[in-house]
Amino acid sequence: MDIKIISADDGATAYRQWNEVLKGNITEEYLMFTQPGIEGEKDAALPMAEEMAMAGADMVTAGYTLCYGDEILQESPEKVRRVFSGEDMLCRIFYLQNEQGFVFNKLFRTDIIKRFKLKFRTNIGAGAERLFLVNYLKRAELVSMLPDHLMKWDLNITPPGYDKDTRKAFSIMRRALFFYGDAKYLCKMDMDYLKEEITEDEEV
């Protein structure tokens, strides 16, 4: 199976680096995005691609571990394999109890990204990943979720970097979700939560 892992040398410029690769002539059927601090992508790619083909899915997600050095902060809670509609997954990327608003644990179809000319916004902070997912999932029919913790992200190496720019991203997402009421509602809840978190950090 043809899989291209699009790497970034530096987390701070990952979106620009990924976009540069997306501009080129990608011949692989599936795409995965990675950056420093993420482990397991090479071992996860094949089983995720096999699941993509078997389920006839447009996206596959793998279970993950978020850590800070040796300290485990969070593990995805799914225990069984699940298949969602693209619209259902639009809601799940805003679930706080199972954070899915990043791209590192997901496998994408190249043809969807190319057909709709999808790319990462570079002026909205870490919200660029979730906005990319919104635009992708609006075109996806099925998403398969694997429970196995195949990937790990060390936030000590590349922190998520939520900031004021991320608020702008959520406003853009809400407009993009105009016809998706449930996801739009959850997006608003996430946006309000993020606003409180950023405000508290600013006051410290």
Short mmCIF file of all heavy atoms in Angstrom, two decimals, residues 4 6 21-31 110 114:
data_model
loop_
_atom_site.label_atom_id
_atom_site.label_comp_id
_atom_site.label_asym_id
_atom_site.label_seq_id
_atom_site.Cartn_x
_atom_site.Cartn_y
_atom_site.Cartn_z
N LYS A 4 2.43 7.92 2.19
CA LYS A 4 3.45 8.98 2.32
C LYS A 4 3.32 9.63 3.68
O LYS A 4 2.25 10.13 4.04
CB LYS A 4 3.29 10.03 1.23
CG LYS A 4 4.41 11.10 1.27
CD LYS A 4 4.31 12.06 0.10
CE LYS A 4 5.49 13.02 0.07
NZ LYS A 4 6.78 12.32 -0.14
N ILE A 6 4.32 12.70 5.72
CA ILE A 6 4.83 14.05 5.49
C ILE A 6 5.38 14.57 6.80
O ILE A 6 4.64 14.84 7.75
CB ILE A 6 3.71 14.97 4.95
CG1 ILE A 6 3.10 14.38 3.69
CG2 ILE A 6 4.25 16.37 4.69
CD1 ILE A 6 1.98 15.22 3.10
N VAL A 21 4.88 20.32 0.84
CA VAL A 21 4.81 18.97 0.27
C VAL A 21 3.49 18.77 -0.46
O VAL A 21 3.45 18.16 -1.54
CB VAL A 21 5.00 17.90 1.37
CG1 VAL A 21 4.88 16.50 0.77
CG2 VAL A 21 6.33 18.07 2.07
N LEU A 22 2.39 19.29 0.09
CA LEU A 22 1.09 19.12 -0.54
C LEU A 22 1.02 19.80 -1.91
O LEU A 22 0.21 19.42 -2.75
CB LEU A 22 -0.02 19.69 0.37
CG LEU A 22 -0.29 18.91 1.66
CD1 LEU A 22 -1.38 19.60 2.47
CD2 LEU A 22 -0.69 17.47 1.36
N LYS A 23 1.87 20.80 -2.12
CA LYS A 23 1.89 21.48 -3.42
C LYS A 23 2.48 20.59 -4.52
O LYS A 23 2.25 20.83 -5.70
CB LYS A 23 2.73 22.76 -3.35
CG LYS A 23 2.12 23.88 -2.54
CD LYS A 23 3.09 25.07 -2.51
CE LYS A 23 2.60 26.19 -1.63
NZ LYS A 23 3.60 27.31 -1.57
N GLY A 24 3.25 19.59 -4.13
CA GLY A 24 3.97 18.77 -5.10
C GLY A 24 3.11 17.67 -5.70
O GLY A 24 1.92 17.55 -5.41
N ASN A 25 3.75 16.86 -6.48
CA ASN A 25 3.08 15.74 -7.15
C ASN A 25 3.15 14.51 -6.27
O ASN A 25 4.08 13.71 -6.37
CB ASN A 25 3.72 15.47 -8.52
CG ASN A 25 3.03 14.33 -9.25
OD1 ASN A 25 1.84 14.10 -9.06
ND2 ASN A 25 3.79 13.62 -10.07
N ILE A 26 2.17 14.32 -5.43
CA ILE A 26 2.13 13.18 -4.51
C ILE A 26 1.45 12.02 -5.22
O ILE A 26 0.29 12.14 -5.67
CB ILE A 26 1.38 13.54 -3.21
CG1 ILE A 26 2.10 14.68 -2.49
CG2 ILE A 26 1.28 12.32 -2.31
CD1 ILE A 26 1.36 15.20 -1.27
N THR A 27 2.14 10.90 -5.33
CA THR A 27 1.59 9.74 -6.04
C THR A 27 1.04 8.69 -5.08
O THR A 27 0.29 7.80 -5.51
CB THR A 27 2.67 9.10 -6.92
OG1 THR A 27 3.78 8.70 -6.11
CG2 THR A 27 3.16 10.10 -7.97
N GLU A 28 1.39 8.78 -3.81
CA GLU A 28 0.91 7.79 -2.83
C GLU A 28 -0.59 7.94 -2.60
O GLU A 28 -1.14 9.04 -2.66
CB GLU A 28 1.66 7.92 -1.52
CG GLU A 28 3.13 7.50 -1.58
CD GLU A 28 4.04 8.60 -2.09
OE1 GLU A 28 3.53 9.69 -2.45
OE2 GLU A 28 5.26 8.39 -2.12
N GLU A 29 -1.23 6.83 -2.27
CA GLU A 29 -2.69 6.82 -2.07
C GLU A 29 -3.11 7.43 -0.74
O GLU A 29 -4.16 8.06 -0.64
CB GLU A 29 -3.20 5.38 -2.17
CG GLU A 29 -4.71 5.23 -2.12
CD GLU A 29 -5.17 3.80 -2.29
OE1 GLU A 29 -4.30 2.89 -2.37
OE2 GLU A 29 -6.39 3.58 -2.33
N TYR A 30 -2.27 7.24 0.28
CA TYR A 30 -2.60 7.69 1.63
C TYR A 30 -1.54 8.64 2.16
O TYR A 30 -0.35 8.53 1.83
CB TYR A 30 -2.72 6.49 2.58
CG TYR A 30 -3.70 5.44 2.14
CD1 TYR A 30 -3.30 4.11 2.00
CD2 TYR A 30 -5.02 5.76 1.86
CE1 TYR A 30 -4.19 3.13 1.60
CE2 TYR A 30 -5.91 4.79 1.45
CZ TYR A 30 -5.50 3.47 1.33
OH TYR A 30 -6.39 2.52 0.92
N LEU A 31 -1.97 9.56 3.04
CA LEU A 31 -1.07 10.54 3.64
C LEU A 31 -1.17 10.52 5.15
O LEU A 31 -2.25 10.32 5.73
CB LEU A 31 -1.43 11.95 3.16
CG LEU A 31 -1.27 12.28 1.67
CD1 LEU A 31 -1.70 13.71 1.41
CD2 LEU A 31 0.15 12.05 1.23
N THR A 110 -5.28 10.74 -0.20
CA THR A 110 -4.67 11.79 -1.01
C THR A 110 -5.66 12.41 -1.98
O THR A 110 -5.65 13.62 -2.20
CB THR A 110 -3.47 11.22 -1.79
OG1 THR A 110 -2.57 10.61 -0.87
CG2 THR A 110 -2.75 12.31 -2.57
N LYS A 114 -6.35 16.41 -2.51
CA LYS A 114 -6.02 17.04 -3.79
C LYS A 114 -7.27 17.59 -4.47
O LYS A 114 -7.25 18.70 -5.03
CB LYS A 114 -5.33 16.02 -4.70
CG LYS A 114 -3.92 15.66 -4.28
CD LYS A 114 -2.98 16.87 -4.40
CE LYS A 114 -1.55 16.49 -4.16
NZ LYS A 114 -0.64 17.66 -4.24
#
